[in-house]
Amino acid sequence: MMIVRVTALVSVRPAGVILAAIVVDGGPPPAGTELRVRVPRRLLREDPMVGETWTVDGPARATRWGRQVDATGAVRALPEGALIREYLADHVPGIGRERANRLWRAFGTDLPRALLEGDVATLAAALAPDRPLLGPRIAAAAVRAWKDAAEEAALVAWLQAQGVADIRATRRIAAILGGKAVETLERNPFILVPFLPWTSLDALGRRLLAQAGRRRPEDAPERLVGAVDATMKAVIASGATAIRDRNLRAAVASRLAVEVAHPRLAAALAAGLRNGAMVAAPGGRWRAPGCAVLEQAVLDRLGDILALRHVRGTSATPLDFRSALAAYPGARTLHPEQREAVLKVLSTPFACLRGGAGVGKTTVVRTLCDLWDRTGGDVILAAIAGKAALRLSKGAGRLARTLFRLTRELDERAEIDRRLLEVVEADEEVILLGRRSQLAEVTPHSLVIVDESSMVDLASMHGLLRRMPAGARLVLVGDERQLPPVGFGVIFHALVTDPGITASLTVVHRQTETSGIPRVASVLRERTVPPLTPYGGLAEGVSFLPAKDAAAIRERILRVYQDLAADDPLVVAPTKGGPSGIRELNEALHDLHVEADRLDEIAGPLGQRFSPGEPVVHARTDYNRGLFNGSLGRVVTVARDGLVAQFEGTAHHFGREELLDLELGYALTCHRAQGSQAARVIIALTPCRLLDPSWVYTALTRGEQQVVLVGDTETLGQALRQPWAVDRRATGFRWPGVGRTVRDARRVSSPPQVP
């Protein structure tokens, strides 16, 4: 193997290319030797370019044109070393981007070898030539980090040679594959399906298989299974857990670049089934295997909870709760429908409470909590989003946690219990017991109530259920007409179709003559365009402001926002880009905010700007901060080096580089807004494929006092003529209470067959 630098392209033909090059390292021949390299087309993903560095395999021989290598392998080595530099900058304290660049300029492709050999003095001279004490310390740390992570470092260098420059993907690959990552990837590069886009991976995979001597890499079983894996990965990314047979065939055929009738597709499906890349399911569907395991586990656990109704002495009987309700001081204020819902929910160990806006779900939940307390049990409240948990806390009069925080506390409690079984010092035991007393606990006497359950995805539901001990009860509360979860799977929407476990609330209570949001929401639940009054400024209820195109929608939203600015309205839009997308709306509203109050602002690395008082969204999950993708906060102060923003009462400092994690929150997508509410909501009815009854209904029910729809009535009508979002999400979750899946409610047939 040798490393060569391309000096000229001698010939570029369909059969391959011939390069003029000079040896940089490796060999024989020695460094500095000029030679020609003949590379067959099957080894190339794209043509080499002058100045690039390539790693070449194959013996050199004398020809009439001088030394020539007939390459058996040829891989581009990125001359800029982007991946190695980023790796050092992120892994070694004190290196940073600038010093990593210095190392690359000093060593080039020899940098990995210099780090492994541990030449601290030379590395220090390159890192910090004017800091004789600091330079050696940083150099020693770099050498130690590189050697300690030699296996990961080898993977970094290998992936860079393959043209992969994604440091996050590299870390995930190293964590999963461990020390034999390179060997494993050379044997089957298509296991990178979870990490790389299919188009890039397919080209890389076929090239590596060809280099390994595979005669027909396009028909390799690894590639065929990889195409099925990539298809099922896309299914999960869409929020589904299953796919119809005809859709699967079309998607896999597209990835293999063949027609549906091509024998390669049949071979791929057979290989995918044989290797567990997909699982057959009734109704002519295929399930993602991991999702199938989770769905079955959720089904089994819910069945176990429900079976407690048949075990004597494990719970109060319906008659006990009827007597308790009769003695409950707040019973007189309950509507008969609410009273029956309370009794139905408490009559079974597992139940669902469903209902639209304004029907009194919070009132029922508060009653459930009070009655359960009176029986001597304990109540655990949770919701998927922080704003929803805060609202639940206020409505129920007790602490509610996010579902993530609840599971984290339960895990921490379990770890403390394990530690306490060991021999610990007395002072450590006091600390552990003190911390343990602050954490959530689910016991066999607990009633766990999860609000906004329509937002809970399959993985989150599974995580909660596996932490609930036998005897604990579960109540899922929500509105099945809202958007399905952001994550994959559908649980609540399927369960509420079973009248045996579901209490339904239909009578609207939270409404006055001037506030018609619940009334309009109930009309939308029927996929009917409601009567809407023209927008007239600050008011109660739902109104409409016509706008024919995206530019007009943007202009009118800005005007309405200024009318309602005193109440910090929330803008909900279906698109991110375009004149009425959330990016442009947020930028425009930022400008209005800064101009109105002449405020200071700070710009992030990508040009996003923030000022004091502005709403912001945390754009990724940060476990150290306890913030999630979609957490809503507000900027408190800005400075030259960053800003301080408050999230749910806790202040967080974000340095300038960390501003990548923040986005302005004047305008949100509907999924980001789900779980939150605002006194006044402005909805952009921008025509797009996302508009459907679920989207419109969810956006409208974010409003508490006023909702303003901005757009065209035809766009609204077209959205309401679409199927509900959940009906377009295929799943494999089958609740025996209804004997059907959410996706296919009418027909259950045999699993599909692979020819």
Side-chain angles (χ1 to χ4, degrees), residues 228-229 231-233 235-236 241-245 248 268-296 730-734 750-754:
V228 177
D229 271 335
T231 299
M232 300 313 291
K233 173 191 171 187
V235 167
I236 297 171
T241 63
I243 183 173
R244 287 192 178 280
D245 181 65
L248 173 75
L269 296 179
L273 184 61
R274 186 168 58 250
N275 286 271
M278 58 189 191
V279 178
R285 292 166 297 113
W286 297 95
R287 301 169 73 182
C291 294
V293 172
L294 291 180
E295 286 175 331
Q296 188 60 48
T731 74
F733 183 74
R734 299 170 59 84
S750 300
Q753 302 295 315
V754 172

Side-chain angles (χ1 to χ4, degrees), residues 422-496:
E422 303 171 354
V423 178
V424 296
E425 298 292 337
D427 54 349
E428 182 182 3
E429 182 178 5
V430 171
I431 294 173
L432 290 174
L433 289 173
R435 175 56 182 163
R436 185 178 183 274
S437 67
Q438 301 172 6
L439 300 173
E441 180 181 17
V442 179
T443 73
H445 306 290
S446 296
L447 175 66
V448 180
I449 301 177
V450 181
D451 197 14
E452 298 282 5
S453 291
S454 64
M455 298 172 60
V456 181
D457 60 23
L458 174 60
S460 299
M461 184 66 72
H462 176 264
L464 172 65
L465 289 172
R466 73 182 181 85
R467 292 170 172 86
M468 288 179 57
R473 289 178 169 229
L474 177 65
V475 179
L476 302 179
V477 183
D479 184 350
E480 81 282 5
R481 287 314 186 194
Q482 291 190 20
L483 285 167
V486 176
F488 59 88
V490 173
I491 301 297
F492 180 77
H493 296 72
L495 294 170
V496 295

Side-chain angles (χ1 to χ4, degrees), residues 51-53 76-86 100-101 104-105 108-109 111 160 163 165:
E52 290 181 338
T53 304
R76 176 186 286 109
L78 298 181
E80 70 273 18
L83 193 58
I84 291 177
R85 287 183 295 173
E86 190 171 352
N101 290 336
W104 182 258
R105 287 194 295 268
T109 56
L111 180 56
Q160 176 179 299

